[in-house]
Amino acid sequence: MDFNHFDREGRAVMVDVSGKSQTVRTATAEGTIRVSREVLDAIIVGTAAKGDVLGVARVAGIMAVKRTPDLIPLCHPLPVAHAAVTFDILEEELSVRARCTVKLTGQTGVEMEALTGVTAALLTVYDMCKAIDRGMELTGIHLLRKEGGKSGIYQRG
């Protein structure tokens, strides 16, 4: 198996995408943060001391999408056309599920941007609620779907 982030001498390189076609590319990632009843209630009612938890987490996720190449070595800076972060409150599971979708027209995919966005959003929930309970747990961060490029569509089973 060839690793495309290394040259023939084993030195790290950014993958050369100059020969790839520009196509519309999208990716969606999701993850969950398990919280206590007290934290979930504070999120739902809006009583967390630091403010609107999901509103701030949404902005943090979008900002993280745009900063992905600053965080992940050898990641291409991309002209992101769209980024969105949404949340589902999972009452019975005492959890919040975050989903991040990223879209662009370009020569490389946006999977890392979607994964970074969802992770930053969940970390922001943790940060804003840690005064209530530090026992929160981020779980199940994964790529849900991606489209575009020569590999086509990936849909998590």
Side-chain angles (χ1 to χ4, degrees):
M1 172 184 238
D2 290 331
F3 293 104
N4 56 4
H5 280 88
F6 298 97
D7 66 13
R8 293 176 196 250
E9 287 77 40
R11 295 178 298 231
V13 296
M14 182 182 276
V15 174
D16 182 358
V17 296
S18 62
K20 294 172 96 178
S21 299
Q22 294 236 359
T23 62
V24 175
R25 297 162 186 266
T26 61
T28 300
E30 73 175 18
T32 303
I33 184 166
R34 292 187 191 145
V35 300
S36 66
R37 177 85 253 169
E38 187 179 5
V39 168
L40 194 62
D41 288 345
I43 291 170
I44 292 168
V45 178
T47 57
K50 290 189 175 185
D52 176 8
V53 173
L54 299 185
V56 174
R58 179 175 291 108
V59 172
I62 293 167
M63 289 174 65
V65 164
K66 300 187 314 181
R67 300 301 300 256
T68 299
D70 295 331
L71 301 170
I72 308 297
L74 309 178
C75 223
H76 291 84
L78 300 176
V80 172
H82 173 75
V85 176
T86 59
F87 299 96
D88 296 311
I89 302 291
L90 308 175
E91 287 261 3
E92 290 187 17
E93 299 168 27
L94 294 176
S95 297
V96 177
R97 180 174 51 226
R99 192 170 278 151
C100 180
T101 299
V102 182
K103 183 176 182 179
L104 63 69
T105 300
Q107 295 170 296
T108 189
V110 288
E111 296 96 314
M112 294 310 302
E113 287 72 13
L115 288 161
T116 300
V118 79
T119 303
L122 293 171
L123 286 169
T124 301
V125 171
Y126 184 97
D127 180 55
M128 293 188 72
C129 296
K130 69 183 181 225
I132 301 169
D133 180 15
R134 293 182 188 273
M136 295 172 280
E137 178 183 2
L138 279 65
T139 65
I141 296 169
H142 61 274
L143 181 66
L144 199 57
R145 180 178 174 84
K146 75 88 144 165
E147 296 179 48
K150 68 178 182 181
S151 62
I153 296 173
Y154 165 80
Q155 177 75 44
R156 184 176 168 110

